[in-house]
Amino acid sequence: MSRSRVLLFLIACAAAACSSRPEYWNRDPSALATLGLQNAVALVDDVDHEVVLLSFGSGLTVAKRQLVSVGHNVVSETVSADGYHLFVLSNGDWPPRSTNDQSPSLTVVDTTGFTPSTPAQSTTYTMSEPFSNLAVDPQVVPGPRYAVAYQGSTTSAVFVDNPNELVIFDLAAPYAGPAAAKPNPVVRTIQSFGGTPQTLTFTPPLRVNPAIEPQRLLVVQTQIDVTLLDLDHAFDTVPRPEVTLPLTSATATTPVHPAAVAIDSFSTEPDDARIAIRTSNGTNVYTIAFGPPNPGVANDFTPTVNLTDVGGIPSDFAFVRTDAGLRLAALVPSQVKATLIEPDTSLTTDVSLTDSYSSLSLVTGAVASSTSADVALLWNGTNSASGVALWTLSNTVGQPYFSIRVLDVSQSIQTVADVPKSSLKVLQSNSGDQFFVLDLNARTVSPLRTSGTAVLSIAPDGKRVWAYARGLDQLASINFGTLNPSPLWTELPIDAVFDVSCADGSSQRVLFALHSRGSVGATLFNAIDPQSKATPPARLSGLLFQEAQ
Amino acid sequence: MKTWKRALLYGSGGALFAGAGCSAGSSNGGAFDSNFAPGNGSTGSNASVGNGGAYASSSSGSSASLPPETKVESAFRSPVATGQVVWIANPASGRVAYIDATTFVVKTVQAGNGPTYLAAVPDPTDDKAIVLNVLSQDATLLQVHQGTLTTRSFPSTATANAWSVSTSGRWAIAWTNTRQVPSADPTQGFQDVVVLDLSTGADARPPTRLAAGFRPVQVAFQGDANAYVVSQDGISVIDLLDGPQPALVANYPLSAPPPPPLLDAQPPPDAGEADANAMDGGVADGGLGDGTAPAADAGADVQSSSSSSSAAGDVVPDVSFTPDGSYALVRQDGVPSIAVISLSDGSITTVPLPALPTDLTMSPTGAFAVAVLRDTSTIAVLPVPGIASAPTSFTTTTIPGEIIGRAIVTSAGDRALLFTTAAPVERMTVVTLGASPSYRTIPLHAPILAVFPTPDAESAIVLNNLTTPSNGVEGAFSIVPIAADVPANIISLPAPPTAVAISPLGDRALVAMRDDTSHTYGAYLANTSTREAALYTLASPPIAVGIVGGALAGYAAQDYSEGRITFLDLQGDGGAASARTITGFELGASVVEGSAQP
Amino acid sequence: MRLSLALRGLTAGLTLAAGAAAQSQAAPTSQPMPDLPQPADREAPSEREPAADHEAPAEAAPPAAEAPPRRAHGPSASVAPPPVEVTVGPVVPEHDRVVERPGPPGREVVGRLEVGYRGVFVTNPGYNPFSTQDYFSGASFAVSRALVAESGFSFAAGLAWDFGSSGAMSRGDSAKLEVNRFMVPLEGRLHAGAFGYAFVRVAPGIAGERVEISEASAPSSLAKSQWLFAADASAGYAFPLVPVPPRLGRSARLWLVGDGGYSWVADQHVSLTSSPAPGSAPMVNTIDLGTLGLRGAFFRVSAAVSY
């Protein structure tokens, strides 16, 4: 070996000694999100640019662990309404400084067939620029069809960005680049009159034109107006233009800000497509009806706007079916009333309430009712003695729609959670140390007390509710059948719980109690029988401490 | 904000189109002026005069002590409708909204400053309307041609508040209806009128400002050749075509005979006593929709616009023009004669009558006029134009045992509806005119407030005057068969009626009601064939109803800050499915469809 | 490939050493070297030693007649005249020379004790959790004894214990690797007179690796221990530090030894789990860190004492 070779060898050794390991190891796996799916738990590890999918066996084991690569710099992650699709929106390496830098992307992970032998499927859609927010189609059957990325109110890190730009993904089609004949996703810039998209709402199929099939629309709320976008024609070579509906009259001095959208989705009958909008600072409720297109209109419909003053700022609203037909029910807490609006004529009927309820939800399907009218559950009032009330939207003698039954709940209710496949509701009090199980059929309200502020998680199968205190090591399973709390303990503080089905085809379910410590751990319980001796709890540790990919 | 309401209120201008036979077609059976609506403090006091409650006990006694008849049909106004479009002005925003009654699409167009008074302009193909901009003191002609709206501006006057438009649509006159001026100074004559040639041809005349007589109350056209302005000074004649621009060529006094002393037993004529006949046969400003007029006693060629009361307190005679424009017939309160004025030379022929006429109505055919002699329960039929040369050639027909103070001649001229609004008489008499007149008395079960015959003369809508509302009933109207001898159907209302509109075919009628105290608002859609009515509850106070013939829809314009109108399917049954409300015209017009992005 | 090359190098080294040893045994009688220093010449060693080798500086090396005979290190003194040494090639210094004793049969024990620092450049990805750099360091202890010495070559064998550890915060957890290696170094030396010697060394042995991670979500620390086959192959040089100046002859000496080569430890799959405390929920998953192969080029710097 010559002297020079020796020298080179020594230099190589020194270089090897000085080389550092991949950055993956140096970063804590703290910037992660944990999401529960129907049949799996997903840990989003932005450090390792992957999603760790875990499915479980009935023996409280990890049946399958799958790593799914996602884009760099995750900005948003969400689970579809059906619980089988995970969406991860990434900024990529932005701004790109080299050709190796990753573009922004959306990764969709489909866990529909996720079993120990069948991996979850993922699809990645590349975008030309990063977006901060993602709206996912809530359609459950056959699954989400669309997703839309938008900037929203988030300040972009991009030097120049277009906040009115939307990226629309057709989730039923694979990725196709901009140069493709039918690109997917497509980019749309909605017309702006000063507002930028803040909230996006997907409609169910609406029969906006009796002559054509029902259509899916995207309702885009900006700070000052609402825009309708035909999703079914968004991928046409020449897509249908959007329609913008202003909410502030030209003669008004104060602009109104849209707060929420309600959609009449009861049927797809002709002339039954309606959308309603309420604002955060106006007393008007806006209803949008649809008619056939006028000459020169590119869309398949022509929207017409109506507004109705309900006397106060409505806090919540919904389309309801009454004895007299479809109505828009708006709660006006400041007036301690609800107002029913006939959407075609703007006729209003005020219904005095017993309390200034500010929230409502329809519970018609869960309530045994002798009429075809809807039943709405009212809550979030100011009077603790009238926590919730059932409002039957049928006429009673002498008092139209004044069939209100206040349920004996000793506290004012903050939230009402649905129990799937059940006539039950879980009501959580404002104080947080008590919750109630409301049986809409029996009209019973069963209180359950907690020693501290409890976080509730209702099992997707509708059989039980899990209560735990975030940061503490106690939780309890309350079987809806018996309302018997089953106390459980973990060795580490609990940060979240997910009730997921087992992947081995059994009817068993597993409770995944997350411990956001270290590299993330969890305690697994038999969800159906948490006290079972046959399946004692099991621990999972270091779920993100794995070999670098 | 009352801007939309105000625009609707005045949109139809100062006169009611009463020419059923008018080629342009009339739009409105009229609408109750808001004078009738409780709490609606507009001009006039017709309702109070017409209630006649103090005379309820005299229905079977002598009619000599009765007050003057009230003629409130002119107060029934509607927004301007043309073809399928309803026009509504918004003075606050400076825009005019036009609503397609078939698609319910609302669009707005920028007019001048303070667009307030609208009138429809007849056009064989396009939807046209003209609006007075009271702040910028100009006028804007709005024309929708094949979906495209264009505007043209014209000068106006500082005080103009009414339109009169010729049947052809070529001429429009902006003038000041002094009956709409509540408190005028004695020196304010409001004599300026602006004559606008709306045509665009080479022979179009320039806009011309003229000074007519003192305090105009009525404007009428004789085809496209002449226009007449009725004022306290008489009838001012405007020659439209003979010169390079319209010119005021003559002024004829209204009467030759000096007015005799007022009868001691009669109270002074009320300002609202103006004769409804004065409105007959005219193209009322804003009255060019497809609805029909309640009465029809004007000729085909002469249209007039007037109002029924003089807010300034001046007594203006009741003037009716013959359709060919050759004569004007003048009735004055307390004068037992009719003056027949030849419009060619201004000569006056006095027709003495056996009693004081309480009403004068020109037949829509122009063949005769009917004067009602209430004191003798007699009507006098004056042949036209023969009466001008033979003042005694009229014939009389007595209706024994009935108090009749007013007459309305049906559109065909073969029947006259006789009734009184001065006494709580619950009957109406239908006289079949001809060589051997016959009559039939129809019991109505409630006193009469106003009568609106259908264009087909088969039926009439009668508003009943309830002097003592009770049991939740605040008003009533009756669907009265005229041709058939079947009972009338009286329909009680939870609120006083405020507006009436009748479809061009006469098969449907709209009656609006409004009670601000109980917040009871609604519109009845009456089927005159079956004499049934369906109620549509309205979300806000109705201020006018009308018919859009092209869309086979009725509409009820409402008092709502953002503007509101409810369209009713004329074939509907009162259900919600047959009603569609448009609220927020500005917003509705602001719906913007973006451009496609390939 | 690198391992095979290293083994090939090691084999070549051993072959060379064996050849050199055989040569050194035959040289004294068959191939006298005319330029070898004669006894008379040793009076002026400073003039010829640089040309011959570096083992005997003039000032440090005493005259042969005055130098104590090697037997002087033995249990009994000898009065016989000192033998005349005839060397061929490098001279095996006294301290590493295996000497026939006149007394009881046997050889004089020449041993050496080394204490050193050992660094390995590990590029295996499996090592990443345990170090922020690709470097594994440790202490090295060795004892050896020259077993054969002839004509400037010698062969020694011994026992060595290397101990090293590395730790790092990885993904927020503390990860630690401890390695104990027990080796049998086999060393061939080529002496350079009083200035030390060069050597090649192969050291088969076993390595005990213990991996431990302190994971906060685990019931206890996650650890795993495993014995693995290991081997080193290196070449180096030993330089005498004491006495100063270096001199031939048998005496206690202090050496500075440096060598470099390739270190190899068999792979192990690092899959960690923890044992729960009694009554606690068992951990049912493992933390799989992949395959750890602790191998790579290494160097060692030692201080050695021989006697």
Side-chain angles (χ1 to χ4, degrees), chain A residues 187-191 193 237-239 241-251 271 284 286 289-290 294 296-299 302-309 342 344-348, chain B residues 1 90 92-93 95 100 103-107 521 536-540 558 560-564 566 576-577 579-584 586-588 590-598:
Chain A
V187 179
R188 290 285 298 275
T189 295
I190 63 168
Q191 58 185 348
F193 298 90
T237 305
V238 180
E242 69 276 12
V243 180
T244 301
L245 312 166
L247 301 182
T248 304
S249 171
T251 58
D271 298 329
N284 285 323
Y286 303 76
F290 295 89
N294 290 325
V297 171
N299 279 290
T302 298
T304 56
V305 183
N306 270 332
L307 54 84
T308 304
D309 192 340
E342 204 287 307
D344 284 332
T345 63
S346 294
L347 286 175
T348 60
Chain B
M1 187 172 66
N90 184 356
S93 68
R95 278 185 281 270
D100 190 314
T103 64
F104 310 113
V105 172
V106 181
K107 295 181 180 179
Y521 315 117
Y536 291 84
T537 304
L538 299 177
S540 43
Q558 297 158 63
Y560 192 73
S561 59
E562 302 289 343
R564 175 174 287 163
T566 298
R580 176 64 68 89
T581 296
I582 305 297
T583 309
E586 296 284 351
L587 294 181
S590 301
V591 174
V592 181
E593 184 177 71
S595 57
Q597 301 174 21

Side-chain angles (χ1 to χ4, degrees), chain A residues 56 180 258 343 379:
Chain A
F56 307 100
W379 76 93

Side-chain angles (χ1 to χ4, degrees), chain A residues 375-395:
Chain A
V375 179
L377 183 68
L378 311 177
W379 76 93
N380 213 354
T382 56
N383 183 1
S384 61
S386 52
V388 293
L390 285 175
W391 180 20
T392 303
L393 288 152
S394 58
N395 287 324

Side-chain angles (χ1 to χ4, degrees), chain A residues 13 16-17 19-22 24-25 27-29 45 47 491-492 517-521 537-542 544-547, chain C residues 121 128-129 131-134 168-173 213 215-219 280-285 287-290 297:
Chain A
C13 289
S19 64
S20 61
R21 62 182 178 176
Y24 164 82
W25 295 106
R27 297 169 62 182
D28 295 353
D45 186 356
V47 176
E491 297 177 31
L492 293 175
R517 286 189 159 202
S519 296
V520 181
R539 291 280 299 276
L540 299 176
S541 301
L544 294 180
F545 199 108
Q546 302 291 340
E547 180 185 10
Chain C
F121 304 99
N128 286 330
S131 175
T132 58
Q133 295 181 328
D134 296 338
M169 292 301 291
S170 294
R171 310 222 69 191
D173 289 338
I213 292 175
E215 161 60 30
S217 66
S280 298
M283 178 176 169
V284 296
N285 70 317
I287 295 180
D288 190 346
L289 295 180

